[in-house]
């Protein structure tokens, strides 16, 4: 995960770097480096070297036994004896082994070799304790090393007791082997764990998973399994302390980066209201790959619990799981108490945050306000705005003044019923630089159905409204969600514009009803205007009452019973996606047909004044030749509009019928369109 907070370990004194092992390992390495080579370790001829011990084979067997027991007691705590030495193999994996003087009695050699594995296990564990206690290895390794250190103290106490028995003359080599056997299985299992942990450089959850898997593998040996489970419990205490802080307070206190939840501090909450691709909610806190096995099934719940608490803290609402409902998290126990604790914390945090954004921040009210303005549920302000902003919106897109539009929008909001809405001040206007088809990625230069020339696009095609949303509502109403609202608004707004233009054309026709229009193209133009008006009205009716209203009520009802913010986001996103599809914005073929039909309607509405005035003027013409030519031109223009409109309308029917197989809701729209086409 990029941009994660760096992990800084406390500095250690210089002397600890120069001599990191001041216990057994340092002594062993120093002593080994100062001795002769192993081949010269046990000289047979001792007469020439008075400072070197004689070969053990020179002594009687009973004396050899006493000597070897003394050496074995030293070897059990990792110290070489006079006739038992430690050999270190350096390679891909460092390995240690013990060897005896080859002149020793064979029976004694065999018994000594049986005890050597225990000596090797002790050395491996002791070295792991020393190396894992360094800061950089993390809290879990520190806790595991502390538990091992306590175990080694018991082990060393056992060796001290055996040495005491030996000094009293009560310990034989067979007795030594007998007393060592009970520790053999436990030390072997622990040595296997520490060796694997060291080789693979495990930290945090890797160590916990390793301990748990080894404990399960030892199901047939109760004592070893119990020991490994105890080690897991000790090692996990520090880890569970981090977990407790997260699920109870929403804070990650992880100095060594061991926790399975990562925090990306480069992601800021402000990005939700500024960037449509913001990933704050999904990536500010995220799960790592290394999750402890006992938390794997509930990791997602743990993640969201802390996220909810964190959001409330960011709001200044300092909340944490009540002390009365807290319980110290522990792994073991047949009742899985830690699962119940986490679920209780999650339920508390989830309900608390939902109530916060519903009650204090009025989520439903904000969504309803957005519905009034961006989904045109309350359109009186829009009618007034379209009247006073007509001149500005008719300009080319690069000539439109957003500041002027904003002032006109504010005026429209203050002088209509919207003034009673306290949220109307959060409404702003914006102008895109591309048409709706281009924004949706459906506008291609090679497309023969290209509707708009980018140079001729006006503010009417690119105007949109925006809405200021503050934290924490921006979690639900993010920039991405607002961009979906804006796509729907732009389509509805343009449809409203087309309807207003056709209504103007219809009013012109109604204004000349008292005049004698017999023998002119006015009746045919009136029928065409009526068909176009019914088409756009049917489309708006479908969008409003067949798509937006039913889906809004479904979402509204679902939000009443939600118990988590993630459910709120899910229901809101589902509503928007369903509205986008229902409003044809995700269906390129249908949308392009609709845009073409709207373009024909606008061209006709723009030509209506000329068509009507020309037809009226024709009746008063005194020159038959000119009258005939002009009448032919007017009639032909109306025929062309009618032919193009009917052709596009007829071709839309099959497209809708084909699409209704995958999108059943298109059947309703198809019925409306086919009804219009039959008129």
């Amino acid at each position: 995960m990029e941009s994660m907070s760096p992990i800084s370990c406390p500095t250690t004194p210089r002397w600890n770097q120069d001599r990191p092992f001041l216990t057994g390992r340092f002594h062993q390495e120093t002593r080994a480096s100062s001795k002769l080579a192993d081949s010269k370790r046990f000289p047979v001829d001792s007469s020439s070297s008075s400072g070197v011990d004689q070969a053990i084979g020179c002594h009687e067997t009973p004396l050899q036994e006493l000597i070897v027991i003394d050496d074995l007691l030293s070897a059990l705590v990792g110290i070489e004896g006079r006739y038992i030495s430690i050999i270190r193999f350096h390679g891909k994996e460092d390995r240690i082994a013990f060897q005896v003087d080859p002149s020793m009695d064979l029976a004694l050699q065999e018994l000594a070799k049986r005890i050597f594995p225990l000596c090797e296990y002790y050395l491996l564990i002791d070295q792991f304790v020393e190396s894992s206690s360094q800061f950089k290895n993390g809290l879990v390794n520190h806790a595991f090393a502390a538990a091992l250190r306590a175990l080694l103290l018991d082990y060393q106490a056992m060796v001290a007791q055996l040495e005491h028995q030996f000094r009293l003359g009560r310990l034989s080599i067979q007795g030594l082997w007998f007393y060592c056997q009970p520790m053999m299985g436990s030390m072997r299992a622990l040595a296997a764990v520490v060796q694997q942990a060291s080789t693979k450089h495990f930290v945090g959850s890797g160590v916990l998973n390793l301990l748990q898997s080894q404990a399960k593998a030892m199901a047939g040996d109760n004592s070893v399994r119990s020991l490994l489970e105890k080690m897991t419990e000790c090692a996990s205490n520090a880890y569970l302390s981090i977990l407790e802080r997260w699920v109870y307070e929403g804070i990650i206190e992880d100095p060594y980066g061991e926790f399975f939840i990562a925090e990306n501090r480069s992601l800021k909450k402000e990005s939700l209201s500024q960037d449509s691709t913001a990933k704050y909610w999904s990536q500010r806190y995220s799960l790592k790959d290394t999750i402890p096995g006992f938390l794997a099934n509930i990791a997602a719940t743990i993640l969201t619990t802390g996220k909810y608490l964190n959001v409330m803290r960011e709001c200044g609402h300092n909340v944490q799981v009540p002390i009365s409902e807290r319980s110290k998290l522990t792994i073991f126990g047949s009742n899985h108490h830690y699962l119940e604790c986490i679920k209780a914390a999650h339920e508390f945090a989830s309900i608390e945050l939902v109530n916060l954004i519903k009650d204090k921040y009025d989520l439903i009210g904000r969504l309803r306000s957005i519905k009034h303005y961006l989904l045109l549920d309350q359109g009186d302000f829009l009618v007034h705005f379209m009247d006073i902003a007509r001149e500005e919106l008719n300009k080319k897109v690069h000539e439109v003044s957003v500041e002027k539009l904003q002032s006109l929008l504010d005026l429209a909001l203050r002088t209509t019923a919207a003034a009673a809405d306290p949220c109307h001040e959060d409404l702003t206007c914006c102008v895109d630089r591309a048409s709706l088809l281009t924004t949706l990625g459906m506008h291609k230069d090679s497309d023969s159905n290209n509707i708009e020339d980018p140079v001729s696009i006006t503010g009417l095609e690119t105007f949109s409204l925006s809405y200021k949303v503050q934290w924490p509502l921006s979690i639900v109403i993010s920039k991405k969600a607002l961009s979906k609202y804006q796509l729907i608004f732009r389509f509805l707004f343009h449809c409203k514009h087309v309807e207003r233009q056709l209504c103007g054309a219809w009013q012109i026709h109604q204004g000349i009803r008292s005049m004698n229009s017999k023998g002119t193209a006015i009746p045919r133009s009136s029928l065409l205007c009526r068909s176009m008006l019914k088409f756009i009205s049917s489309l708006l009716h479908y969008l409003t009452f067949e798509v937006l209203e039913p889906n809004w009520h479904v979402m509204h009802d679902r939000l009443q019973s939600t118990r988590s913010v993630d459910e709120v986001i899910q229901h809101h996103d589902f509503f928007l996606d369903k509205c986008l599809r229902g409003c044809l914005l995700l269906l390129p073929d249908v949308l392009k047909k609709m845009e073409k039909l709207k373009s024909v309607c606008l061209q006709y509405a723009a030509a209506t004044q000329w068509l009507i005035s020309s037809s009226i003027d024709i009746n008063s013409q005194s020159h038959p030749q000119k009258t005939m030519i002009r009448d032919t031109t007017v009639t032909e223009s109306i025929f062309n509009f009618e032919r193009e409109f009917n052709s596009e309308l007829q071709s839309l029917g099959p497209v809708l019928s084909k699409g209704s197989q995958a999108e059943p809701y298109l059947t309703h729209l198809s019925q409306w369109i086919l009804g219009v086409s039959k008129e």
Side-chain angles (χ1 to χ4, degrees):
M1 183 67 66
E2 66 275 5
S3 301
M4 294 302 167
S5 54
I7 300 166
S8 58
C9 299
T11 56
T12 58
R14 181 57 186 266
W15 59 263
N16 198 25
Q17 297 174 10
D18 295 338
R19 294 179 57 177
F21 306 109
L22 297 182
T23 54
R25 183 172 176 183
F26 177 76
H27 173 71
Q28 296 150 15
E29 291 180 351
T30 305
R31 184 175 176 183
S33 63
S34 64
K35 290 199 173 185
L36 298 174
D38 291 329
S39 60
K40 300 179 181 178
R41 183 95 172 108
F42 304 108
V44 177
D45 183 11
S46 61
S47 59
S48 61
S49 54
S50 58
V52 180
D53 294 327
Q54 292 181 345
I56 194 171
C58 299
H59 304 289
E60 297 292 331
T61 302
L63 184 56
Q64 287 186 37
E65 182 179 359
L66 294 175
I67 294 171
V68 78
I69 291 174
D70 188 45
D71 277 8
L72 283 171
L73 289 171
S74 298
L76 283 171
V77 289
I79 300 173
E80 291 182 324
R82 289 177 296 169
Y83 300 101
I84 294 178
S85 59
I86 300 174
I87 302 177
R88 300 182 184 277
F89 298 93
H90 299 287
K92 197 170 184 181
E93 291 184 5
D94 291 345
R95 193 166 60 84
I96 54 175
F98 285 77
Q99 76 170 15
V100 296
D101 187 333
S103 65
M104 185 186 296
D105 182 78
L106 293 178
L108 293 176
Q109 282 191 47
E110 185 61 32
L111 285 169
K113 288 177 181 177
R114 292 183 185 181
I115 300 173
F116 283 167
L118 186 59
C119 306
E120 295 168 8
Y121 301 151
Y122 172 83
L123 272 179
L124 283 172
I125 296 170
D126 188 49
Q127 290 173 14
F128 178 81
V129 168
E130 292 180 336
S131 60
S132 295
S133 298
Q134 296 176 6
F135 288 122
K136 65 181 180 180
N137 292 294
L139 296 176
V140 172
N141 271 324
H142 295 170
F144 182 34
L148 289 174
R149 188 179 290 111
L151 179 74
L152 291 183
L153 285 175
D154 291 340
Y155 172 86
Q156 289 165 354
M158 179 201 76
V159 175
Q161 290 172 353
L162 290 174
E163 186 177 10
H164 179 65
Q165 293 297 315
F166 175 64
R167 299 303 175 205
L168 296 176
R170 299 175 185 172
L171 186 68
S172 64
I173 192 167
Q174 289 87 355
L176 179 61
W177 164 238
F178 173 78
Y179 288 120
C180 287
Q181 283 187 71
M183 291 288 289
M184 193 71 75
S186 300
M187 295 292 280
R188 182 190 301 114
L190 289 174
V193 170
V194 301
Q195 190 167 25
Q196 192 171 346
S198 298
T199 304
K200 297 184 178 179
H201 305 290
F202 281 149
V203 294
S205 55
V207 176
L208 298 180
N209 288 336
L210 176 60
L211 282 167
Q212 278 204 313
S213 63
Q214 288 295 105
K216 290 177 182 177
M218 291 294 174
D221 191 330
N222 287 333
S223 60
V224 175
R225 188 188 71 247
S226 298
L227 174 64
L228 289 173
E229 287 178 348
K230 179 67 176 175
M231 289 292 162
T232 308
E233 186 174 358
C234 293
S236 64
N237 281 337
Y239 199 88
L240 292 178
S241 297
I242 302 173
L243 177 61
E244 281 182 13
R245 192 87 193 274
W246 173 250
V247 297
Y248 289 150
E249 300 177 40
I251 297 173
I252 294 181
E253 191 175 357
D254 182 21
Y256 303 107
E258 299 171 274
F259 198 43
F260 66 92
I261 294 176
E263 179 181 8
N264 189 345
R265 295 187 178 179
S266 66
L267 296 177
K268 305 297 182 183
K269 62 180 183 290
E270 290 77 15
S271 64
L272 285 170
S273 57
Q274 297 170 359
D275 184 6
S276 59
T277 61
K279 295 181 171 56
Y280 178 90
W281 184 246
S282 60
Q283 293 185 10
R284 166 71 178 192
Y285 296 100
S286 57
L287 295 175
K288 295 180 183 177
D289 295 332
T290 53
I291 301 174
F294 64 95
L295 296 175
N297 293 332
I298 203 169
T301 302
I302 293 171
L303 175 65
T304 54
T305 302
K307 281 169 66 175
Y308 295 161
L309 293 170
N310 192 269
V311 168
M312 287 185 278
R313 197 175 67 255
E314 294 257 5
C315 296
H317 188 66
N318 192 13
V319 66
Q320 49 185 278
V321 178
I323 301 295
S324 59
E325 296 183 23
R326 291 194 189 190
S327 180
K328 185 160 181 65
L329 300 179
T330 54
I331 297 178
F332 297 100
S334 57
N335 59 356
H336 294 290
H337 183 58
Y338 71 98
L339 293 176
E340 297 173 9
C341 295
I342 292 170
K343 288 176 181 176
H346 178 266
E347 186 173 0
F348 169 83
S350 179
I351 294 174
E352 194 76 14
L353 180 56
V354 168
N355 291 339
L356 182 70
I357 65 171
K358 280 185 179 179
D359 300 337
K360 183 177 179 180
Y361 294 95
D362 191 21
L363 173 66
I364 303 296
R366 286 289 172 148
L367 289 174
R368 188 177 287 111
S369 177
I370 291 175
K371 176 173 179 270
H372 288 336
Y373 301 123
L374 271 73
L375 301 185
L376 304 187
D377 179 46
Q378 198 174 54
D380 59 333
F381 86 95
L382 188 69
V383 174
H384 186 36
F385 174 74
M386 293 179 79
D387 285 337
I388 61 179
R390 183 191 306 116
E391 182 181 346
E392 193 67 27
L393 290 173
N394 277 319
K395 292 180 180 179
K396 297 292 186 289
V397 65
H398 62 277
E399 299 174 352
V400 175
S401 170
V402 179
E403 292 77 12
K404 186 173 182 180
L405 286 177
Q406 183 64 52
S407 64
L408 294 173
L409 177 65
D410 292 339
L411 178 62
L413 290 171
R414 287 195 300 269
T415 55
T416 58
D421 180 9
C423 300
H424 78 271
E425 294 181 355
D426 293 326
L427 200 65
T428 60
C429 63
C430 55
V431 178
D432 202 343
R433 296 299 172 189
S435 67
L436 184 62
L437 288 176
T438 303
T439 304
L440 291 167
M442 302 176 185
H443 217 289
K444 298 180 181 177
D445 296 336
S446 59
D447 195 341
S448 59
N449 292 325
N450 240 352
I451 310 298
E452 296 147 341
D453 180 4
V455 178
S456 64
I457 297 175
T458 65
L460 289 163
E461 284 84 35
T462 59
F463 174 76
S464 182
L465 293 178
S466 188
Y467 199 89
K468 296 176 184 176
V469 183
Q470 302 299 325
W471 174 269
L473 293 183
S474 56
I475 294 174
V476 180
I477 313 170
S478 63
K479 180 69 174 177
K480 184 177 181 181
L482 273 175
S483 65
K484 294 179 181 180
Y485 276 112
Q486 289 173 326
L487 289 173
I488 298 171
F489 172 83
R490 287 179 63 180
F491 188 55
L492 289 172
F493 180 79
H494 197 248
C495 287
K496 285 282 187 183
H497 167 63
V498 174
E499 185 184 42
R500 282 169 60 83
Q501 297 302 106
L502 289 174
C503 283
W506 179 251
Q507 288 173 357
I508 293 174
H509 283 91
Q510 294 300 100
I512 60 169
R513 286 184 65 181
S514 59
M515 300 180 65
N516 182 18
S517 57
K518 191 174 181 181
T520 67
I522 291 178
R524 195 171 194 95
S525 176
S526 180
L527 284 174
L528 176 59
C529 185
R530 185 164 175 252
S531 295
M532 288 182 172
L533 197 54
K534 186 165 185 183
F535 158 73
I536 198 68
S537 298
S538 300
L539 177 59
L540 279 168
H541 182 278
Y542 162 78
L543 295 173
T544 305
F545 297 104
E546 299 281 346
V547 178
L548 298 178
E549 281 296 328
N551 286 321
W552 163 264
H553 286 293
V554 169
M555 178 189 70
H556 182 271
D557 293 341
R558 287 176 175 173
L559 290 183
Q560 300 300 323
S561 58
T562 51
R563 297 175 65 86
S564 75
V565 170
D566 284 299
E567 284 183 27
V568 172
I569 296 171
Q570 181 182 352
H571 293 323
H572 186 237
D573 287 345
F574 182 76
F575 159 73
L576 286 173
D577 290 339
K578 200 163 183 183
C579 287
L580 281 173
R581 188 164 288 278
C583 291
L584 318 175
L585 297 172
L586 301 181
L587 305 172
D589 293 339
V590 179
L591 185 60
K592 287 177 182 178
K593 287 288 182 185
M594 290 296 180
E595 291 298 306
K596 180 63 178 176
L597 280 164
K598 287 194 295 176
S599 178
V600 174
C601 291
L602 286 174
Q603 291 172 24
Y604 167 76
T608 300
Q609 186 68 47
W610 172 78
L611 293 172
I612 297 299
S613 60
S614 297
S615 296
I616 295 172
D617 193 32
I618 287 169
N619 289 333
S620 61
Q621 287 286 346
S622 57
H623 304 285
Q625 184 76 22
K626 292 182 179 179
T627 300
M628 186 176 299
I629 295 172
R630 195 165 187 184
D631 182 45
T632 303
T633 304
V634 172
T635 304
E636 186 177 347
S637 296
I638 293 175
F639 280 167
N640 287 338
F641 281 123
E642 184 179 34
R643 186 165 48 248
E644 190 174 8
F645 177 74
N646 289 333
S647 173
E648 291 294 336
L649 199 60
Q650 289 293 344
S651 65
L652 179 61
V655 174
L656 288 174
S657 299
K658 182 180 178 181
S660 64
Q661 298 174 5
E663 312 290 348
Y665 56 83
L666 289 180
T667 304
H668 295 165
L669 181 59
S670 179
Q671 290 169 352
W672 283 98
I673 298 300
L674 293 176
V676 171
S677 64
K678 290 178 181 177
E679 297 247 344

